[in-house]
């Protein structure tokens, strides 16, 4: 079928699986994940965008779909879209990877390793030229904060105790992408979803940004940790936390505001 028709089908499937468990189960049985992954490299940019959005929606808080994606190495296939020339496609890929790691299922060592690897890969877009992509990146990293809350609090305490200034990521930490044109808020409304950070990122983020945010409230109580158990500065958590600090100084105000809200949440719970 023409790419335009397949794009419409991807949009319809994204709506069917959007917060609808019966639709997700039916889509999973119909091999939706594999079908979307097979077409991610299609030359039609709007199709690539909606395939990524559809994937992000089908495995949101649905463990079976996530592990179906793990079996097909979905995260590695989505990595290729992080350097796509179209900013909306890059943002959709970050969204899909963000919901991939922000999953409420059972935590295992294998799941933790995958999520940490995705988090480190996402840092590669920290210097993306589109604020749309960087806003989506803050949401994805906030999802990792939710999954590894205690570890990030330990990093925050360690940075405070050692009185070390925040260090921005360098080219040795992450590969910078060449800036592309800034994407307007209206551009992402095509991929909008009705999510908000609800307690992690300020609820005053405009509608275009709210459409990209998918983080549930963090309700788990952090356990007290001694300094001897804190993580070193070369850890995955430290690099991601440094990335959040760099985003908190982003020249685009909404990106900086969102990142600061995540950092404030971590530090307030760490020192409470």
């Amino acid at each position: 079928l023409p790419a335009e028709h397949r794009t419409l089908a991807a949009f319809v499937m994204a709506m069917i699986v959007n917060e609808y468990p019966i639709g997700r189960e039916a889509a999973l049985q119909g091999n939706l994940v594999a079908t979307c992954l097979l077409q991610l490299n299609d030359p039609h940019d709007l199709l690539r965008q909606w395939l990524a959005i559809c994937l992000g929606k089908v495995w949101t808080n649905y463990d079976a779909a996530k592990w179906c994606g793990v079996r097909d190495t979905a995260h590695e296939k989505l990595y290729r879209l992080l350097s796509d020339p179209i900013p909306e496609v890059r943002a959709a890929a970050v969204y899909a990877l963000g919901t991939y790691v922000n999953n409420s299922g059972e935590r295992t060592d294998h799941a933790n390793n995958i999520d940490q690897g995705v988090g480190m890969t996402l840092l590669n877009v920290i210097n993306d030229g589109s604020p749309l992509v960087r806003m989506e990146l803050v949401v994805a990293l906030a999802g990792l904060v939710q999954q590894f809350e205690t570890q990030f609090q330990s990093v925050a305490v360690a940075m405070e105790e050692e009185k070390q200034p925040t260090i921005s990521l360098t080219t040795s930490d992450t590969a910078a992408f060449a800036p592309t044109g800034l994407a307007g808020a209206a551009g992402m409304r095509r991929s909008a979803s009705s999510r908000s950070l609800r307690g992690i990122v300020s609820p005053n983020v405009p509608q275009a940004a709210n459409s990209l945010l998918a983080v549930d409230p963090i309700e788990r109580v952090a356990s007290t940790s001694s300094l001897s158990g804190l993580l070193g500065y070369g850890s995955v958590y430290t690099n991601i936390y440094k990335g959040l600090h760099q985003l908190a100084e982003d020249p685009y105000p909404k990106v900086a505001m969102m990142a600061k809200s995540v950092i404030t949440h971590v530090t307030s719970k760490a020192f409470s």
Side-chain angles (χ1 to χ4, degrees), residues 151-202:
Q151 290 89 331
F152 280 104
Q153 290 178 20
S154 296
V155 171
V157 171
M159 291 177 69
E160 179 65 23
E161 289 290 333
E162 296 182 16
K163 304 295 182 182
Q164 292 198 14
T166 300
I167 305 173
S168 297
L169 291 176
T170 64
T171 53
S172 62
D173 295 313
T174 178
F177 283 88
T180 59
L182 296 182
M188 198 55 193
R189 289 195 180 115
R190 292 182 295 175
S191 60
S193 60
S194 56
R195 302 180 287 145
S196 66
L197 284 179
R198 293 187 297 174
I200 299 181
V201 173
S202 171

Side-chain angles (χ1 to χ4, degrees), residues 7 9 22 33-34 62 82 97 103 105 127 133 141 143 167 178-179 181 192 196 212 216 234-235 257 260 270:
T7 302
I22 297 176
V33 173
Y62 186 31
L82 296 178
L97 290 167
N103 208 293
N127 293 317
V133 177
L141 297 182
I167 305 173
S196 66
L212 307 176
D216 295 325
S235 72
M257 178 186 68
K260 287 175 182 176

Side-chain angles (χ1 to χ4, degrees), residues 35 65 97 119 128 177 228 237 242 245:
T35 302
L97 290 167
D128 191 284
F177 283 88
S228 60
Y237 309 110
K242 285 162 59 178
H245 274 276

Side-chain angles (χ1 to χ4, degrees), residues 136-150:
E136 192 62 81
L137 175 61
V138 175
V139 181
L141 297 182
L144 281 171
V145 169
Q146 179 181 9
Q147 298 300 331
F148 304 101
E149 181 181 7
T150 303

Side-chain angles (χ1 to χ4, degrees), residues 78-133:
L78 284 165
Y79 289 163
R80 293 193 289 267
L81 296 185
L82 296 178
S83 57
D84 195 276
I86 307 300
E88 287 83 1
V89 176
R90 299 198 302 274
V94 176
Y95 161 72
L97 290 167
T99 59
Y100 191 75
V101 299
N102 185 18
N103 208 293
S104 59
E106 181 182 355
R107 305 306 304 176
T108 63
D109 289 341
H110 185 40
N112 290 344
N113 289 337
I114 290 174
D115 293 351
Q116 292 166 9
V118 171
M120 290 300 291
T121 303
L122 284 173
L123 290 179
N124 289 332
V125 301
I126 202 166
N127 293 317
D128 191 284
S130 170
L132 188 69
V133 177

